[in-house]
Amino acid sequence: MDTSLYLSRIKSTNKFSLSLSLSLSLLLSLSHPPSSFSSSFFSTVNKHKPWIETSYHGVITENMDTVLLDPPLVALDKDAPVPYAGEICAFKIHGQEAPFEAVVLNRTSGEGVLRAKGPVDCETQKEYTFIIQAYDCGAEASGASWKKSHKAVVHIQVDDVNEFSPVFREPMYHASAMEGKIYDSILQVEAWDQDCSPQYSQICNYDIVTSDTPFAIDRNGNIRNTERLSYDKKQRYKVMVTAFDCGQKRATESVAVHIDVKPVCKPGWQGWNKQVDYEPGTGSKQLFPKMHLETCDGPLSAVRAMVELQTSHIGKGCDRETYSEKSMQKLCGAASGSTDLLPAPSVSTNWTASLLTDSGRDSDLIFNFDGRQAANVPERVVPQNLTDQFTIATWMKHGPSPGLRAEKETLLCNSDKTEMNRHHYSLYVHNCRLVFLLRRDFTQVDTFRPAEFHWKLEQICDKEWHYYVINVEFPAVTLFVDGVTYEPYLVTDDWPIHPSSIDTQLTVGACWQGGEVSTPRFTQFFRGSLSGLTIRPGRIETQKVISCLQACKEGLDIHSLESLGKDIKFHFNPAQSVLVMEGEDLESVNTAMAKVSYINSRQFPTAGLRQLHITTTVQCFGEDICISIPDIKALVMVLPPSEPRITIAGSDQLVRPAADLRGAMGVAPFKELRITSTVTKGDVYRPGVLEAMHNLDYCDVLVIGEELNPEQESLEIHHSSLMGKHLDATNSTSGISIYGVDSMAHYEEALRQVRYRNWRPATLTNRRFRLTCSELNGRYTSNEFNLEVSLVHNTAPVEHVNHMAVQSQYMRSVHHPLMVHSVNSHISGTPPAATVVVVICIAALVCIVVLGIYRLHSTHQDSSKSEEDGAKEPEMDWDDSTLTITVNPMEVRGHYTKEFPEKALSTKINSKCSGRPPHNNKHINRRGARQQ
């Protein structure tokens, strides 16, 4: 029933009824006893129960206390306006322990209100349902005989407040996207809100915070790319994303989204480094330890990989030993007797001085010919008789000849010096063909015989370094290129050359035309580079020596060869610069490629970059080639080696008596020589010096000052001192040179055996020498060690001399003429009185010394000869011209004073006359005295 209608009915009640009720009540209270009257009266007055609605719906905002009910909370009682009985005293809530209470606002009207006992949280409970009843005030003030209404159901809904921000469900998101593809959704992020209402708990929008990204996000959290991604451009993106709820409250913290760009599955090698650093002396180093071949799940039947090490820019095609040609031949065991036609320019080898050289590659001597230079080899150097067996060897780098009609380019030519233009033998290049011409003398052969031998090879014009060796065993001629044998594809015959008295000229870099022209000149110039051009008559080189001379010291290797799979096939080229691997199982091929290594066996390799080139072909079942594998280009960086410091040490002075210099063996100037080498290891903060053991390739002993006079002196080493070593020696009036690749210890032994002899030492004042040693043909050189050899005159001591105080035997004796000269010069500037004193002192001294010697001779006449023989040293040679008596004045007060008072007296007089202490005047020279 509507509350307003109900209230209007109450107001329209007949006033008479109200008055009547009051009157009856008063009468009953007066005519009856209180107890019985009260009971019957109250029951009669409070006849009706309160009335409320059957159900209520209310709304309360969280964190508020007032509930808005629909309909309002009002209780009615038909007993109204009777006091108490018609009034509402209370509302009571039952069930669920609801956090609400109902309060009566007006007892008469029955109005009430519903409110929360404390804060209400929507996130804890969104709705409440409970029972409420109204109670009247009973029949009297005590509340007796009260009545309650029927039960009404109350439904309360808690209204939400937007108090929480969105929170992402994951602390970080990660996804991947294939390059080159546009996605509708790469991944979906999701945020949630703790608010209870749909308005505030739902996420209505997402946004990307990071700027300039190729991504977008929709309201559902789906992230997509706005452009095609490229793995090469960027491999990973980091995007920050935020969220908003429907009340537009933003997330407190944004979330990071990582998106990896996956390359499109492209077949090829993966997991390899573009550069590998190689430290000298570390042996074999793996180049691709983590490399594997990606085939995109293709059905493979075979894999073939070729690894190529490109070293054409290093030295002469690769890292080789840079010793001189003679040293290399000695090291490789080549036969002696070869002639170096392109030696380093020097005083004795000056014919190469005008040629262009390139020695900037670790002392590797290279001659460059540009078509305008050539050199005539002196006749004294040219082998006169090549015989039927000889060898010509050279390093050559040559490219295609310019012009349509290529001319002959001569490396080596022996032609007529004058009058005619006959070529006796020559080696030249023509149209990328190597031709060797050999025309025999008519006296040797008188028939039509092979004369020109032609080879057509790619190596001749590929602009790379190659080692060429021509072995002649006439009439057979064999060519070796980088150790590989090649037979001539064409051999032409010719008549032998008729004998004549015309001299021949051997030329390098061109051919000499001395006849049939008005002015002799060079022709057929060579364009290219040469090094180590030698000719050896009488013998041919063996395959072993040729391989040694051209061997590379760097190359490819397989680490742990025994661990390769049995199904892997591999082979190297002779220089080990190309490795080919074949296999049917992909895993075995990957394992084998991971073992490919680089090795450089040189102790001091050439630093710099080497290129690696890998080509791969893959075969599938039933197909020739099914997958294309891109080539790989990588680099090997050989780090600079620690440079050795070669030090020569020893005594820098040698003083010997004349007899030693005149002896058959002479003297050994470098007997105390020591050669050491050190390298600095570690970093800048902790450097360390370590002793290094390495080879030397030459040591030169040069004469400083005037050259040796062959008529009276020599500097030489006996051949037996070089036996068992890889050493050889040459000497001249300028010094001696020991060369060959050998250890420092062997060089020490050899240098200690160098002998200097002078069979006329009287004219010698001093002779100075300078010693230097080298490693790698001058790449590393030692200090300059200077030594001086001088002559010492012999000394003859008297008996009982204290050898602890006597002067060294290498001290030069003071002879009588020098003393007289010294005295006379002193007297000339002395006053007369002083002169008289000096003369008297000298006279007295002479008399006393002569007297003392005479008494000594008389006293020991019988025993002096035997004592002389027992005490005389070998080097004490008798000199009839002078006598040196050495007196130790420290013993005057003792033995000499007792037995020879004359000697003591002479010593005192001498000391007094000279004005110096006795121990400073030790040498007294006399003629004709006999040694005592």
Side-chain angles (χ1 to χ4, degrees):
M1 178 183 295
D2 186 56
T3 305
S4 59
L5 178 61
Y6 181 72
L7 293 175
S8 63
R9 286 182 179 179
I10 295 177
K11 293 179 181 179
S12 63
T13 305
N14 195 308
K15 294 181 179 181
F16 175 75
S17 299
L18 178 60
S19 300
L20 181 58
S21 299
L22 294 173
S23 300
L24 290 174
S25 300
L26 179 60
L27 290 175
L28 288 173
S29 63
L30 294 174
S31 60
H32 292 281
S35 58
S36 59
F37 173 78
S38 175
S39 174
S40 60
F41 178 77
F42 290 163
S43 60
T44 302
V45 174
N46 194 9
K47 296 180 180 180
H48 302 93
K49 298 185 292 183
W51 178 90
I52 57 176
E53 297 287 348
T54 57
S55 63
Y56 294 90
H57 293 85
V59 175
I60 183 173
T61 302
E62 62 177 345
N63 301 324
M64 305 288 289
D65 60 354
T66 302
V67 180
L68 301 177
L69 285 177
D70 182 25
L73 182 60
V74 177
L76 302 177
D77 196 322
K78 291 183 179 181
D79 294 325
V82 178
Y84 303 110
E87 295 179 352
I88 303 301
C89 276
F91 293 98
K92 291 187 177 181
I93 296 174
H94 307 283
Q96 291 191 357
E97 298 181 357
F100 298 97
E101 62 180 358
V103 180
V104 178
L105 299 177
N106 192 325
R107 296 174 60 176
T108 302
S109 63
E111 295 179 58
V113 64
L114 187 65
R115 60 189 179 191
K117 294 180 181 179
V120 179
D121 189 3
C122 176
E123 287 74 34
T124 304
Q125 189 167 339
K126 296 180 180 180
E127 295 181 350
Y128 294 90
T129 301
F130 51 86
I131 302 298
I132 190 171
Q133 287 180 300
Y135 289 80
D136 62 16
C137 296
E140 56 181 6
S142 63
S145 301
W146 48 264
K147 293 183 181 294
K148 59 182 178 181
S149 68
H150 60 271
K151 296 179 179 180
V153 179
V154 180
H155 296 281
I156 302 297
Q157 179 180 342
V158 182
D159 275 358
D160 188 21
V161 175
N162 194 5
E163 57 183 333
F164 291 100
S165 300
V167 178
F168 286 93
R169 295 193 180 276
E170 300 292 338
M172 183 181 66
Y173 290 87
H174 187 276
S176 59
M178 191 70 68
E179 67 172 342
K181 183 179 178 181
I182 297 294
Y183 287 84
D184 294 331
S185 176
I186 298 175
L187 80 159
Q188 184 180 22
V189 298
E190 184 180 1
W192 66 289
D193 198 313
Q194 296 183 31
D195 291 315
C196 63
S197 64
Q199 178 183 2
Y200 301 133
S201 64
Q202 291 184 0
I203 306 300
C204 285
N205 192 21
Y206 292 91
D207 192 17
I208 294 179
V209 180
T210 307
S211 59
D212 298 330
T213 59
F215 300 99
I217 189 169
D218 61 17
R219 61 184 305 169
N220 295 320
N222 294 304
I223 298 178
R224 60 183 177 85
N225 57 319
T226 57
E227 62 184 51
R228 300 182 188 276
L229 305 179
S230 172
Y231 179 82
D232 296 332
K233 182 179 179 181
K234 198 169 185 178
Q235 290 81 39
R236 169 176 269 205
Y237 291 88
K238 181 181 179 181
V239 179
M240 302 302 295
V241 177
T242 190
F244 297 88
D245 61 18
C246 293
Q248 292 304 304
K249 193 160 191 172
R250 180 175 172 172
T252 305
E253 294 183 359
S254 300
V255 70
V257 179
H258 296 277
I259 300 176
D260 292 331
V261 180
K262 292 181 65 177
V264 176
C265 186
K266 299 177 181 178
W269 293 102
Q270 297 181 1
W272 53 279
N273 295 325
K274 292 184 178 180
Q275 179 172 318
V276 179
D277 291 341
Y278 180 82
E279 185 175 353
T282 56
S284 180
K285 182 171 184 178
Q286 290 176 256
L287 298 173
F288 318 108
K290 298 181 179 179
M291 189 171 71
H292 63 278
L293 182 62
E294 176 62 57
T295 59
C296 299
D297 299 326
L300 308 180
S301 62
V303 178
R304 183 179 185 273
M306 182 175 70
V307 185
E308 182 180 3
L309 178 67
Q310 298 175 347
T311 59
S312 58
H313 63 290
I314 302 296
K316 295 193 290 287
C318 68
D319 209 2
R320 295 181 169 94
E321 296 293 4
T322 56
Y323 296 115
S324 66
E325 197 64 28
K326 280 190 175 182
S327 295
M328 284 300 301
Q329 291 177 357
K330 188 80 174 177
L331 183 65
C332 292
S336 60
S338 66
T339 301
D340 190 356
L341 301 180
L342 283 177
S346 66
V347 176
S348 59
T349 58
N350 57 0
W351 70 88
T352 59
S354 62
L355 301 179
L356 299 176
T357 60
D358 178 13
S359 58
R361 298 183 178 181
D362 298 331
S363 303
D364 199 0
L365 185 60
I366 295 172
F367 291 87
N368 296 326
F369 296 86
D370 60 359
R372 291 176 294 180
Q373 289 90 18
N376 283 328
V377 181
E379 186 176 355
R380 59 181 172 81
V381 179
V382 179
Q384 299 301 319
N385 186 14
L386 291 183
T387 71
D388 287 340
Q389 287 188 344
F390 61 93
T391 299
I392 298 176
T394 186
W395 287 94
M396 182 178 72
K397 180 180 180 181
H398 183 263
S401 302
L404 297 177
R405 291 190 59 187
E407 297 181 354
K408 293 180 180 180
E409 299 179 52
T410 303
L411 287 73
L412 178 67
C413 179
N414 184 267
S415 60
D416 289 332
K417 198 170 188 177
T418 57
E419 299 183 24
M420 304 181 70
N421 188 29
R422 298 176 302 174
H423 294 185
H424 296 259
Y425 62 88
S426 66
L427 181 64
Y428 62 90
V429 175
H430 188 211
N431 288 327
C432 292
R433 290 167 174 82
L434 185 66
V435 182
F436 176 63
L437 169 68
L438 176 62
R439 298 188 66 187
R440 311 297 291 178
D441 261 353
F442 191 84
T443 56
Q444 295 175 326
V445 61
D446 57 357
T447 58
F448 212 51
R449 301 299 296 271
E452 278 190 346
F453 304 84
H454 299 249
W455 293 270
K456 185 178 181 181
L457 303 173
E458 295 180 357
Q459 295 93 319
I460 297 173
C461 289
D462 64 357
K463 296 182 180 180
E464 303 290 347
W465 279 104
H466 299 284
Y467 188 55
Y468 298 82
V469 178
I470 296 178
N471 273 349
V472 178
E473 289 183 290
F474 194 81
V477 177
T478 305
L479 171 67
F480 294 86
V481 180
D482 298 332
V484 180
T485 306
Y486 295 93
E487 297 296 332
Y489 81 95
L490 175 64
V491 177
T492 59
D493 297 342
D494 201 349
W495 290 103
I497 296 179
H498 290 276
S500 67
S501 59
I502 301 175
D503 293 333
T504 59
Q505 175 64 59
L506 183 62
T507 308
V508 177
C511 200
W512 179 256
Q513 186 174 359
E516 301 178 0
V517 289
S518 57
T519 303
R521 57 188 176 87
F522 290 113
T523 62
Q524 302 175 6
F525 286 95
F526 178 72
R527 293 179 177 85
S529 299
L530 297 176
S531 179
L533 177 59
T534 61
I535 184 169
R536 175 182 287 107
R539 297 189 63 174
I540 62 173
E541 289 292 10
T542 63
Q543 178 77 44
K544 182 179 179 181
V545 171
I546 294 173
S547 298
C548 175
L549 290 172
Q550 61 88 38
C552 287
K553 295 300 181 179
E554 65 178 338
L556 298 174
D557 191 22
I558 297 180
H559 183 75
S560 184
L561 185 62
E562 63 278 359
S563 62
L564 283 183
K566 296 181 179 180
D567 59 330
I568 296 295
K569 300 177 182 178
F570 68 92
H571 62 272
F572 291 93
N573 69 332
Q576 279 192 229
S577 60
V578 177
L579 168 63
V580 178
M581 282 190 173
E582 297 179 354
E584 298 178 356
D585 179 61
L586 180 60
E587 191 64 30
S588 297
V589 173
N590 288 336
T591 302
M593 288 296 291
K595 296 180 181 296
V596 176
S597 306
Y598 170 81
I599 187 171
N600 194 317
S601 60
R602 292 189 67 190
Q603 189 173 5
F604 306 106
T606 303
L609 292 171
R610 279 80 163 157
Q611 291 187 351
L612 287 168
H613 188 201
I614 301 178
T615 55
T616 311
T617 56
V618 176
Q619 294 181 351
C620 296
F621 293 99
E623 301 181 27
D624 291 336
I625 298 177
C626 58
I627 299 176
S628 178
I629 306 296
D631 293 351
I632 284 180
K633 291 185 178 180
L635 296 172
V636 176
M637 179 62 184
V638 178
L639 302 177
S642 299
E643 296 190 0
R645 182 178 180 181
I646 306 171
T647 304
I648 304 175
S651 177
D652 58 357
Q653 285 190 347
L654 182 67
V655 183
R656 286 290 185 271
D660 289 353
L661 296 177
R662 285 196 304 266
M665 297 298 295
V667 296
F670 306 104
K671 191 173 183 179
E672 299 178 1
L673 182 76
R674 289 185 64 252
I675 303 176
T676 59
S677 179
T678 56
V679 294
T680 302
K681 291 287 187 180
D683 52 24
V684 179
Y685 303 100
R686 284 189 174 182
V689 179
L690 302 176
E691 186 172 357
M693 302 303 296
H694 58 79
N695 292 329
L696 300 176
D697 59 350
Y698 69 80
C699 285
D700 290 340
V701 181
L702 300 178
V703 177
I704 303 176
E706 295 183 1
E707 294 187 356
L708 298 175
N709 185 353
E711 296 182 356
Q712 68 179 34
E713 57 183 339
S714 66
L715 183 69
E716 57 189 5
I717 183 172
H718 197 272
H719 182 71
S720 60
S721 302
L722 305 178
M723 296 294 292
K725 305 178 180 67
H726 295 288
L727 299 178
D728 208 341
T730 59
N731 64 338
S732 66
T733 58
S734 300
I736 186 170
S737 178
I738 302 175
Y739 61 91
V741 182
D742 213 331
S743 65
M744 289 186 291
H746 279 179
Y747 267 93
E748 273 188 5
E749 294 175 8
L751 287 169
R752 290 172 182 174
Q753 299 301 318
V754 172
R755 316 295 296 188
Y756 172 69
R757 187 179 175 217
N758 191 318
W759 44 93
R760 295 179 185 175
T763 60
L764 176 68
T765 55
N766 58 62
R767 173 60 76 182
R768 292 187 299 159
F769 301 100
R770 176 173 296 160
L771 171 63
T772 56
C773 292
S774 155
E775 163 67 332
L776 294 175
N777 203 19
R779 179 178 174 185
Y780 305 116
T781 56
S782 69
N783 61 308
E784 293 183 349
F785 178 75
N786 296 319
L787 181 140
E788 181 177 313
V789 178
S790 57
L791 186 67
V792 61
H793 294 279
N794 296 323
T795 60
V798 298
E799 294 178 320
H800 307 292
V801 173
N802 184 354
H803 294 283
M804 297 298 292
V806 73
Q807 291 189 6
S808 169
Q809 63 174 335
Y810 299 128
M811 293 292 292
R812 185 183 300 272
S813 301
V814 180
H815 296 283
H816 180 70
L818 294 179
M819 175 176 283
V820 173
H821 174 76
S822 174
V823 171
N824 292 338
S825 63
H826 180 72
I827 291 175
S828 62
T830 306
T835 304
V836 173
V837 173
V838 171
V839 171
I840 293 173
C841 290
I842 293 176
L845 179 62
V846 170
C847 294
I848 293 172
V849 169
V850 170
L851 180 60
I853 294 174
Y854 176 77
R855 290 192 60 182
L856 179 65
H857 175 68
S858 300
T859 304
H860 301 281
Q861 184 174 5
D862 296 332
S863 59
S864 60
K865 185 174 293 186
S866 59
E867 291 177 359
E868 180 183 357
D869 296 337
K872 186 176 181 180
E873 295 180 1
E875 66 273 14
M876 300 296 182
D877 295 333
W878 175 252
D879 190 352
D880 294 333
S881 62
T882 60
L883 172 65
T884 301
I885 302 177
T886 304
V887 180
N888 185 1
M890 300 300 292
E891 298 181 358
V892 169
R893 296 186 182 93
H895 177 76
Y896 285 144
T897 306
K898 293 178 181 179
E899 294 191 14
F900 310 110
E902 295 87 358
K903 287 190 177 181
L905 178 61
S906 66
T907 303
K908 292 179 182 179
I909 295 173
N910 186 27
S911 175
K912 181 178 179 180
C913 294
S914 63
R916 293 177 296 182
H919 64 274
N920 285 338
N921 190 1
K922 299 179 182 179
H923 300 286
I924 303 173
N925 300 318
R926 291 288 181 268
R927 282 187 178 270
R930 184 179 178 187
Q931 182 180 7
Q932 300 296 320

